[in-house]
Amino acid sequence: MGGVGRGTLRIYLGAAPGVGKTYAALDEARRRLDRGTDVVIGLVETHGRRHTAAMVDAAVLAGMAVVPRRSVEHRGASFTELDLDAVLARAPKVAVVDELAHTNVPGSRNDKRWQDVQELLAAGIDVISTVNVQHLESLNDVVETITGVAQRETVPDEVVRQADQVELVDMAPEALRRRMAHGNIYTAERVDAALANYFRPGNLTALRELALLWLAGKVDDQLDRYRAEHRIAGVWETRERVVVALTGGPEGDTLIRRAARIAARARGADLLAVHVARSDGLTGADPGALGGQRRLVESLGGTFHQVVGEDVPAALLDFARASNATQLVLGASRRGRLARILHPGIGVTTTNLSGPIDVHMVTHAEVGGTGFRLPRARRGLDPRRRLLAMVLTVALLPALTALLVQGRDSVDLSLDILGYLIIVVAMSIVGGFLPALLCALASGLLLNYYFVPPLHRWTIADGNDALAIAGFVLVAAMVSRVVDTSAHRYAQAVRASAEAATLSVLAGSVLRGEDALPALLERARETFAMTSATLLERLPTDTPDRDGWRTVLSVGPDACTRPGQGAVDVPIGDDLALVLTGRPLPASDRRILTAFAAQAAVALERRRLAEAAAQAAPIAEADRVRTALLAAVSHDLRTPLAAAKASVTGLRGGSDLLAPDERDELLATADESLDRLTRLVENLLDLSRLQAGALSVFPRPIGLDDVIPHALAELGPPARAIPIRLPDDLPTVDADPALLERVLVNLAANALRHSPEGRPPTITASHLAGRVELRVVDHGPGIPADAREQVFRPFQRLGDRDNTTGVGLGLALARGLTEAMHGTLTPEDTPAGGLTMVISLPASAPPQPFDNLD
């Protein structure tokens, strides 16, 4: 029986058709069977490959059960699909379900086979499945660009990423081509065309690289999850990742390009740019410069990140370690020589603390060192600066005292006071109020002891000297207080600037088109260097768990299910909470986190309003169509019904009194009226299927010379006069034959209705840039340019003046069916007067047998 809980999914990922993914899946199933596991074959596609078929036979002989397929009838043809109900009823431990991206035949419970697999997993059944890289949704267009073949069957990447195990089935291009040449993949008549087209060595090499890179991305996700779960902070050099630190200064472009070159030398390396917005005041980045550097990073294939940190080196290294970076690129210091002597700087500090991360110090045109400049007082007065001021006080006051004692005979007291005042002011700039006040008191005592009579005693003989020293201490205290207050205000201002810069980056992410809610949570997690960010919503009060919470969205590993589980939680009203796991945050950081939380609530509300609007739009459109249908059909059904009934009544009531020509005329009238009713009902049914999204389209390569005659034959004798002009080298098109025929019937009928006597419409075709254009040309009155879109609205005719020619469905239906086949229908002016309807359809990609590979 199936296991308790959700089953596990194992996927064999193939780089190209024929590499052996189905064979590998069967081999794994056989191994599990040999271990005594209950394994069944739900569905396996052998594609006529003898080795795969032999593997199936061997598995059956070994005792593996095969669940019979379900037969489905569609459009007169019989198809077989996975019998999902039978597998669920059988409830094995493991089921083999091949071709995860397969599209089920209409009428099946699910549209896609991967949805069938999800049901099996939910029932506790383990599933072994397969998929080719060209069927991954994110790579579908890339594969089409490489091979020239569009793959219509796709599976969302997230389905494959969430698999418990993904194993790559790889093969060198030369070996795969040999397998093809030996007839192990396709039949003999298809081998040459395959080798010359899809299976060219370059194509196979590119597909192989795509598969390897995609799988490497999944492995990275698994590694990040493992490191987070086991709280591993060290760097594992499994893949080169280059982080470049940006300050927003003019040297940023140089650093980015240098880091991009370093990443390019290590193929497959990631480039990450990070800007640290300091919360203690060391910032000043130009938002415009940072914006330009962001665009440059993204144009080089990298990503831009912004974090808030009290300590820039620590924040840089935390980000680098969290990203599992192997190299860090920094710019050489722009500070002067004296500043570098007083403080080693960010670059030196980061290098000393980097551990296994390689640090590159890049020189640039803005490097300082040409002069002796005092360091700019840009930092808040932290304990290190206060300690430095105390050390300088202990060193400078004795030195100055010794110097002044040597010149006591030539220097008066006012100059002595001025010398000490200079040191006090300097200490206030370096260390703030407390060190400066202590320096002032010590200076007063030294002045009293060494320079105020009586010397070498702690007394003052002259009252003026006492006032001078008291004034000196007061002035020193006032200056130091002003300096300390200004530094504190400056730190607050720059903190606000850092917060504004962070919110600006957040707003920019949303404006560039990122989904607002995931972007908010990811930026919150990244900005504060947290492990995960989760938005929780309280369950309704009518649920059994009245105090329960549900997860709205979570980014990062270790998602929380209740507010108290995280390191930080921010309530948003009564029903929402933003919870972050990782480190505790200081109170100063919680203010900006509250802004993130408020914006998350707004983003959630906007998402729900958009979902509600999206759900209401089809209902409103259906109501509009239904109202128009009742208004239009009330007249247009009545006319042919009345004519048919009158004709039948006349035939029944007086058939013996009617002449043969009169009887024939009544029969013809009844027949024509019933034909009109038939076409009207068919159009209504097709249009309703289109609007409900239930119209099934089965495109295949078809020739226009096969479809056009059938369409004209449906219109009867009037259509026989329409000339058909098709080039001999016209390629086939990818279209549904039945739907294309319906389009041509509607367009040709409309052209016949408006063509003047003696000038029937014409059908022509041409081929250009992978598209085939089919033109239905008439020489009637035409349509004004400003009214052309109106004729494609359901139940509308141009001007709504002629109520005898139908409900106006023909052109609306023709456009809808054309677009369902990935084509377009556009009106153009006929050069000699009239209207030309142009149907543009994709030409079949050569060679036709390989349009949908597996």
Side-chain angles (χ1 to χ4, degrees):
M1 296 294 293
V4 178
R6 186 175 178 83
T8 60
L9 175 61
R10 182 185 183 99
I11 295 177
Y12 287 88
L13 175 66
V19 294
K21 62 185 186 303
T22 303
Y23 190 95
L26 288 169
D27 189 44
E28 171 64 20
R30 176 69 181 275
R31 284 195 295 270
R32 298 195 188 189
L33 181 69
D34 293 341
R35 294 196 296 265
T37 305
D38 181 17
V39 184
V40 302
I41 296 178
L43 187 144
V44 168
E45 298 287 0
T46 64
H47 298 289
R49 296 164 190 168
R50 60 180 184 273
H51 295 299
T52 306
M55 190 65 175
V56 173
D57 294 339
V60 173
L61 288 174
M64 190 180 300
V66 178
V67 178
R69 301 189 185 194
R70 179 175 57 93
S71 181
V72 182
E73 298 291 331
H74 180 69
R75 291 192 174 183
S78 180
F79 302 88
T80 60
E81 292 288 0
L82 170 70
D83 194 336
L84 179 58
D85 291 327
V87 177
L88 290 172
R90 172 67 171 73
K93 175 60 180 174
V94 180
V96 180
V97 181
D98 203 9
E99 295 190 0
L100 193 64
H102 172 77
T103 301
N104 292 330
V105 174
S108 302
R109 184 158 74 208
N110 296 312
D111 293 333
K112 293 285 190 176
R113 187 167 292 163
W114 63 263
Q115 295 170 324
D116 295 338
V117 169
Q118 294 295 321
E119 288 199 35
L120 295 176
L121 295 173
I125 300 173
D126 298 342
V127 177
I128 301 174
S129 189
T130 65
V131 71
N132 274 341
V133 69
Q134 71 261 27
H135 295 300
L136 295 174
E137 182 66 41
S138 66
L139 300 177
N140 185 257
D141 55 341
V142 179
V143 173
E144 182 178 359
T145 301
I146 294 170
T147 64
V149 177
Q151 303 295 331
R152 297 186 183 88
E153 294 184 331
T154 60
V155 59
D157 289 49
E158 192 61 25
V159 173
V160 184
R161 287 192 184 279
Q162 290 177 353
D164 299 274
Q165 299 177 65
V166 178
E167 183 172 331
L168 178 65
V169 182
D170 190 23
M171 180 175 287
E174 295 78 9
L176 184 59
R177 284 170 59 84
R178 282 196 302 271
R179 178 178 288 185
M180 171 71 73
H182 293 159
N184 293 331
I185 301 177
Y186 294 140
T187 56
E189 61 272 14
R190 301 175 62 187
V191 168
D192 290 339
L195 292 175
N197 292 277
Y198 192 92
F199 287 82
R200 293 195 299 268
N203 289 359
L204 297 178
T205 301
L207 292 174
R208 190 185 189 194
E209 183 175 10
L210 284 177
L212 291 169
L213 291 176
W214 190 93
L215 188 60
K218 175 175 172 55
V219 172
D220 281 342
D221 294 341
Q222 293 175 329
L223 180 60
D224 291 342
R225 190 180 307 115
Y226 178 84
R227 282 161 50 84
E229 291 173 352
H230 292 78
R231 305 191 182 280
I232 299 173
V235 176
W236 287 5
E237 299 184 20
T238 56
R239 182 175 180 178
E240 289 291 337
R241 286 183 177 84
V242 181
V243 174
V244 53
L246 302 177
T247 64
E251 76 282 358
D253 291 359
T254 301
L255 301 183
I256 293 169
R257 292 189 173 91
R258 179 60 182 274
R261 290 195 296 271
I262 294 173
R265 286 196 290 267
R267 294 183 61 85
D270 296 331
L271 174 63
L272 300 87
V274 59
H275 169 68
V276 178
R278 289 200 55 161
S279 60
D280 65 353
L282 183 56
T283 186
D286 180 5
L290 275 179
Q293 291 168 11
R294 169 194 285 273
R295 290 189 291 273
L296 177 59
V297 169
E298 293 174 349
S299 69
L300 294 173
T303 56
F304 182 88
H305 309 265
Q306 179 162 309
V307 299
V308 173
E310 297 289 340
D311 187 304
V312 173
L316 282 176
L317 291 173
D318 286 344
F319 177 83
R321 294 187 182 107
S323 303
N324 205 22
T326 55
Q327 301 189 62
L328 181 60
V329 177
L330 303 174
S333 177
R334 288 179 286 162
R335 303 180 309 150
R337 297 174 186 172
L338 180 58
R340 294 201 299 273
I341 293 174
L342 295 176
H343 189 274
I346 293 173
V348 175
T349 305
T350 303
T351 303
N352 293 337
L353 301 175
S354 63
I357 301 176
D358 296 334
V359 179
H360 301 264
M361 296 292 295
V362 179
T363 186
H364 49 84
E366 303 297 324
V367 172
T370 57
F372 291 87
R373 298 175 295 171
L374 287 174
R376 290 177 292 176
R378 301 180 60 182
R379 298 183 54 173
L381 302 181
D382 57 24
R384 290 182 298 176
R385 292 185 58 174
R386 292 188 175 93
L387 179 61
L388 176 62
M390 300 295 289
V391 172
L392 290 176
T393 298
V394 173
L396 293 178
L397 286 183
L400 178 63
T401 301
L403 180 64
L404 293 177
V405 167
Q406 294 295 326
R408 182 186 300 161
D409 297 335
S410 58
V411 178
D412 59 14
L413 182 61
S414 60
L415 292 178
D416 295 334
I417 292 175
L418 180 59
Y420 283 105
L421 183 60
I422 291 174
I423 292 181
V424 171
V425 172
M427 293 307 100
S428 67
I429 294 175
V430 174
F433 176 70
L434 182 59
L437 180 60
L438 295 177
C439 182
L441 293 175
S443 299
L445 293 175
L446 291 173
L447 282 169
N448 180 16
Y449 191 81
Y450 286 103
F451 303 102
V452 176
L455 300 178
H456 308 300
R457 294 178 62 185
W458 301 107
T459 58
I460 302 176
D462 191 343
N464 291 329
D465 293 339
L467 289 175
I469 293 177
F472 160 76
V473 173
L474 180 62
V475 169
M478 293 172 61
V479 170
S480 61
R481 169 55 66 187
V482 170
V483 172
D484 187 69
T485 302
S486 64
H488 180 67
R489 299 298 184 195
Y490 179 76
Q492 289 180 332
V494 178
R495 168 71 186 186
S497 175
E499 294 176 356
T502 301
L503 294 177
S504 174
V505 171
L506 172 63
S509 301
V510 176
L511 291 174
R512 281 192 300 275
E514 298 180 19
D515 190 356
L517 191 55
L520 276 165
L521 296 185
E522 181 60 33
R523 293 296 180 185
R525 183 191 69 82
E526 183 181 90
T527 297
F528 299 103
M530 305 299 278
T531 304
S532 68
T534 306
L535 183 63
L536 299 176
E537 184 177 35
R538 192 185 299 275
L539 293 175
T541 55
D542 56 354
T543 57
D545 187 4
R546 296 188 176 183
D547 295 328
W549 295 79
R550 74 175 188 89
T551 300
V552 177
L553 185 67
S554 179
V555 296
D558 298 334
C560 298
T561 56
R562 289 183 177 273
Q565 291 180 346
V568 182
D569 62 88
V570 180
I572 313 171
D574 296 330
D575 299 326
L576 290 174
L578 178 61
V579 185
L580 289 84
T581 60
R583 60 186 179 89
L585 287 181
S588 59
D589 284 340
R590 294 180 67 93
R591 183 172 66 253
I592 188 171
L593 184 58
T594 302
F596 273 94
Q599 292 199 40
V602 173
L604 177 61
E605 183 66 19
R606 290 184 60 185
R607 170 189 275 192
R608 290 178 172 171
L609 289 175
E611 292 173 352
Q615 294 174 356
I619 298 175
E621 178 64 17
D623 288 341
R624 187 190 70 79
V625 170
R626 198 172 293 114
T627 302
L629 174 62
L630 292 174
V633 171
S634 62
H635 175 274
D636 291 290
L637 283 178
R638 187 183 304 117
T639 301
L641 279 173
K645 181 173 178 57
S647 300
V648 173
T649 302
L651 288 170
R652 290 185 62 188
S655 59
D656 296 338
L657 302 176
L658 295 174
D661 57 341
E662 293 175 335
R663 186 166 54 252
D664 292 342
E665 183 178 354
L666 288 175
L667 288 171
T669 301
D671 183 61
E672 181 183 351
S673 299
L674 292 174
D675 284 344
R676 287 178 58 190
L677 279 174
T678 300
R679 286 195 296 269
L680 176 60
V681 171
E682 288 177 348
N683 285 344
L684 288 171
L685 289 174
D686 285 342
L687 188 64
S688 66
R689 292 191 189 101
L690 271 175
Q691 292 174 336
L695 183 69
S696 298
V697 181
F698 292 92
R700 61 180 177 85
I702 57 171
L704 294 180
D705 51 354
D706 294 329
V707 178
I708 296 175
H710 290 288
L712 298 183
E714 187 175 335
L715 295 175
R720 296 174 184 170
I722 298 179
I724 304 172
R725 298 169 185 161
L726 303 180
D728 294 335
D729 59 348
L730 190 69
T732 59
V733 297
D734 286 335
D736 187 308
L739 298 187
L740 181 56
E741 186 174 320
R742 299 282 300 137
V743 172
L744 289 173
V745 167
N746 281 290
L747 294 182
N750 185 72
L752 283 169
R753 187 162 53 246
H754 295 95
S755 293
E757 188 71 26
R759 299 192 67 187
T762 305
I763 297 179
T764 65
S766 60
H767 173 229
L768 179 65
R771 308 282 294 185
V772 173
E773 292 186 347
L774 181 65
R775 290 176 168 81
V776 180
V777 184
D778 70 56
H779 302 282
I783 300 177
D786 57 354
R788 286 178 180 172
E789 288 303 312
Q790 181 181 343
V791 299
F792 292 106
R793 298 174 188 169
F795 315 113
Q796 296 290 323
R797 290 176 301 276
L798 184 57
D800 282 336
R801 295 184 297 271
D802 178 12
N803 288 326
T804 65
T805 57
V807 294
L809 289 178
L811 294 181
L813 180 61
R815 171 170 279 187
L817 295 178
T818 303
E819 291 177 349
M821 295 183 289
H822 304 289
T824 59
L825 176 60
T826 54
E828 295 179 355
D829 289 326
T830 302
L835 181 68
T836 298
M837 287 291 184
V838 183
I839 307 171
S840 176
L841 293 169
S844 300
Q848 295 175 21
F850 307 104
D851 184 57
N852 191 9
L853 292 167
D854 203 329

